[in-house]
Amino acid sequence: AYWNPLARFSDIVLPVGTTLQRDDLAAGMMDLTITAMSRVADPPAGVRTDYEIFSGLAHRLGVGATFTAGRSADGVWVE
């Protein structure tokens, strides 16, 4: 999500939404709980979430149904 030295030397860089631009779960290494994080803002045009990027790649590779198991990023059945 951020331009850093690793991204600078990458062959492919995909624009991905930050944690403020998606519904997600958070947990630290020493946390005993998982915290729900709600979307604060919509991502800019052309920016997708990690799930949207990986499920899109899986569909193009012919394993989309296996990757998504028929669910959206929220876990809702879509098929």
Side-chain angles (χ1 to χ4, degrees), residues 1-10 13:
Y2 305 100
W3 192 253
N4 58 29
L6 183 61
R8 181 176 167 214
F9 293 106
S10 299
V13 178

Side-chain angles (χ1 to χ4, degrees), residues 51 55 59 64-65 67-79:
Y51 182 84
S55 63
H59 281 287
F67 178 81
T68 63
R71 296 178 186 232
S72 69
D74 297 329
V76 177
W77 292 101
V78 293
E79 296 181 45

Side-chain angles (χ1 to χ4, degrees), residues 17-28:
T18 67
T19 55
L20 298 175
Q21 298 168 333
R22 66 176 183 257
D23 293 324
D24 208 345
L25 298 173

Side-chain angles (χ1 to χ4, degrees), residues 26-43:
M29 291 177 55
M30 302 300 288
D31 290 342
L32 299 176
T33 59
I34 296 175
T35 304
M37 299 185 320
S38 298
R39 177 185 299 207
V40 176
D42 291 328

